[in-house]
Amino acid sequence: MFLRCRHSLNFYLLIMDTPTSHKLDIVIPAFRGHSQTFLMVLDGISEEDALKRIDGRTNHIIWMAGNFLDMRYALGTALGLQEEFEYKDFFFQGKTLDESLDYPSLQQLKDSFHKISPLVYQKLLDITDEELDTPFPMGMDIDFFPETILNFTGMCIGREDYLCGQIGLMRKILGYGGMKYDFDKDLKY
């Protein structure tokens, strides 16, 4: 596992773009890594299985993927994009899963992913240190956590990582094989 992770990190470092702000040197490979992981962890999951819950207690994969996208769109907004997540009403700020709703398909969410991700990625490459230090109120009121665009970016990256892990666990529970590390060298975001 360590060798595979080490190999993956080297892969990202070789293909990563250089951000304007060196504060994002670690965020750029993480963002690209999460793009890859998001697609790989969803690979092969059927639309039917993507709506299954475990004992009525878990969120389903559609909700997890939608929440991942809600993070991408929220980050885009923080970075100055005007793109609106077309499925925001289902997922905004981790909105509770509602089984009475007709959620978008996994394919619709993947299409939204490919729409927003390159735009957010470009913004991450272009943003300056001064812009990253701009206050970004989140209402957390935690003394050790300055509410800035930089810290919101970190929160979004962390949430994406968490959600990909949750989807990976659901893959196993639903009887799918583990995620394959088949990186797409042509995916530039």
Side-chain angles (χ1 to χ4, degrees):
M1 175 76 175
F2 174 73
L3 290 176
R4 181 171 35 198
C5 291
R6 187 170 157 214
H7 172 72
S8 299
L9 178 61
N10 288 338
F11 169 76
Y12 285 121
L13 292 174
L14 289 173
I15 63 167
M16 108 176 189
D17 294 315
T18 304
T20 300
S21 171
H22 289 293
K23 291 180 179 183
L24 297 182
D25 283 347
I26 194 167
V27 169
I28 296 303
F31 184 90
R32 287 189 72 182
H34 291 170
S35 292
Q36 296 276 343
T37 302
F38 179 75
L39 295 172
M40 290 184 294
V41 78
L42 294 175
D43 186 50
I45 294 177
S46 72
E47 292 288 346
E48 180 183 348
D49 284 345
L51 288 168
K52 288 183 179 175
R53 300 177 68 200
I54 307 308
D55 297 329
R57 296 172 50 160
T58 64
N59 292 316
H60 48 55
I61 290 173
I62 292 287
W63 186 93
M64 294 172 196
N67 192 246
F68 180 101
L69 285 166
D70 186 55
M71 288 287 83
R72 285 266 160 123
Y73 277 87
L75 180 55
T77 298
L79 297 173
L81 290 174
Q82 301 298 313
E83 302 294 318
E84 177 115 3
F85 185 25
E86 60 194 306
Y87 305 111
K88 177 181 179 177
D89 292 341
F90 294 98
F91 307 109
F92 184 64
Q93 293 184 344
K95 181 179 179 178
T96 303
L97 186 142
D98 182 346
E99 289 191 280
S100 70
L101 297 177
D102 187 19
Y103 281 86
S105 70
L106 206 48
Q107 187 56 54
Q108 288 170 309
L109 293 175
K110 288 177 185 177
D111 292 344
S112 288
F113 165 82
H114 288 296
K115 175 183 172 188
I116 193 62
S117 296
L119 301 175
V120 174
Y121 184 67
Q122 191 58 53
K123 284 290 197 177
L124 287 170
L125 290 175
D126 295 341
I127 196 165
T128 65
D129 286 344
E130 294 76 24
E131 291 168 315
L132 286 168
D133 291 335
T134 301
F136 188 77
M138 294 174 257
M140 295 177 66
D141 198 29
I142 300 172
D143 61 354
F144 64 83
F145 189 86
E147 295 186 359
T148 63
I149 290 176
L150 177 63
N151 284 340
F152 183 70
T153 300
M155 284 183 60
C156 291
I157 292 295
R159 181 72 179 164
E160 286 183 0
D161 198 36
Y162 171 80
L163 289 162
C164 285
Q166 292 291 300
I167 296 169
L169 181 59
M170 287 293 287
R171 279 185 73 86
K172 298 295 278 184
I173 292 170
L174 293 171
Y176 289 87
M179 182 184 92
K180 303 276 189 275
Y181 289 86
D182 297 328
F183 293 97
D184 179 355
K185 294 179 184 177
D186 295 324
L187 186 67
K188 302 298 183 189
Y189 49 84

